[in-house]
Amino acid sequence: EDQVTQSPEALRLQEGESSSLNCSYTVSGLRGLFWYRQDPGKGPEFLFTLYSAGEEKEKERLKATLTKKESFLHITAPKPEDSATYLCAVQAGDNFNKFYFGSGTKLNVKP
Amino acid sequence: EAQVTQNPRYLITVTGKKLTVTCSQNMNHEYMSWYRQDPGLGLRQIYYSMNVEVTDKGDVPEGYKVSRKEKRNFPLILESPSPNQTSLYFCASSPRDRGVGTEAFFGQGTRLTVV
């Protein structure tokens, strides 16, 4: 069964304390892996797409990487405004319209 | 401004009373989809549409219907809502060349409570 698992469920950091979020997946035929940010009361906001192992993408303090079994979202020197829930999703299988989300990591960055 | 608009934002209804949640996008995207978000389960795809008059089931389609008569609109219909459909619903749209979920724009969500 296709599955996406994110860890940890919640993460509390001090401002400036770098860390990583994990997204592991077991799917047949990965077409792409995506990271979204979701603020309370809002819809998810697209961050990155990764298509193949070894690929990396960066945006401000965020860097996403991809291996054959997992992806990491590295947060360097986070600020309180980085507090949000980060969602990972995979697009997989023969029917590339199927899309599976993890349950997210809730990040809280304290000043 | 590029956006996906859902209505209503909040809805409380009774079991069995048919309801429709509307979704409209102004980006001329071919692909649209509906998700429900439940605590601990993440976002789960209900239905998606690849273009006008082309729809297909996602992972959790039971109890839902959709239609795509115009490119910009993709309503979600609950013909006989039940309490287990209480959830937060999101509509999303994305450009055609990379599939339904890629670089998707999401609406603000509709919080539905069925009593």
Side-chain angles (χ1 to χ4, degrees):
Chain A
E1 179 182 320
D2 294 336
Q3 195 167 8
V4 180
T5 304
Q6 291 187 247
S7 62
E9 287 186 18
L11 182 61
R12 297 179 72 177
L13 299 174
Q14 288 296 127
E15 184 172 0
E17 179 187 3
S18 301
S19 188
S20 297
L21 313 182
N22 178 262
C23 171
S24 63
Y25 58 90
T26 53
V27 296
S28 54
L30 177 74
R31 301 294 291 259
L33 186 140
F34 312 93
W35 284 97
Y36 286 84
R37 169 190 171 127
Q38 186 175 22
D39 293 300
K42 295 191 174 183
E45 178 184 343
F46 172 77
L47 292 173
F48 302 110
T49 307
L50 300 165
Y51 289 106
S52 57
E55 191 174 357
E56 298 182 352
K57 294 273 180 73
E58 284 189 69
K59 181 179 180 180
E60 296 180 354
R61 295 175 293 283
L62 300 177
K63 179 180 178 180
T65 62
L66 180 65
T67 72
K68 287 186 178 180
K69 293 293 183 186
E70 60 190 349
S71 175
F72 292 93
L73 184 65
H74 307 279
I75 304 176
T76 302
K79 298 181 178 182
E81 53 261 43
D82 294 322
S83 297
T85 296
Y86 290 86
L87 304 173
C88 166
V90 299
Q91 187 177 26
D94 293 333
N95 180 349
F96 64 84
N97 292 314
K98 286 285 190 178
F99 206 62
Y100 304 95
F101 276 86
S103 54
T105 293
K106 186 173 183 179
L107 174 65
N108 185 9
V109 182
K110 290 193 166 290
Chain B
E1 180 190 350
Q3 59 185 4
V4 177
T5 304
Q6 294 178 228
N7 280 297
R9 292 288 311 279
Y10 302 92
L11 179 60
I12 301 175
T13 190
V14 296
T15 299
K17 184 177 181 181
K18 182 179 178 178
L19 66 91
T20 299
V21 183
T22 64
C23 173
S24 181
Q25 51 98 358
N26 63 0
M27 295 164 281
N28 202 37
H29 286 164
E30 286 80 5
Y31 291 101
M32 299 184 74
S33 56
W34 276 102
Y35 296 85
R36 60 178 290 174
Q37 187 173 36
D38 301 290
L41 296 177
L43 282 156
R44 292 179 292 168
Q45 194 174 35
I46 303 171
Y47 268 94
Y48 60 88
S49 169
M50 291 169 282
N51 214 325
V52 175
E53 302 292 1
V54 182
T55 64
D56 205 351
K57 297 176 181 179
D59 266 357
V60 289
E62 294 77 19
Y64 304 94
K65 285 177 60 176
V66 293
S67 68
R68 187 92 181 273
K69 292 184 169 52
E70 303 168 282
K71 197 173 186 180
R72 65 182 292 123
N73 296 323
F74 190 44
L76 180 69
I77 302 157
L78 285 72
E79 297 228 327
S80 183
S82 61
N84 64 12
Q85 292 179 297
T86 292
S87 186
L88 179 59
Y89 291 86
F90 287 102
C91 177
S93 76
S94 56
R96 178 183 180 185
D97 60 348
R98 295 186 183 275
V100 175
T102 312
E103 299 178 46
F105 290 78
F106 282 79
Q108 292 284 74
T110 296
R111 187 165 293 282
L112 171 66
T113 302
V114 184
V115 298

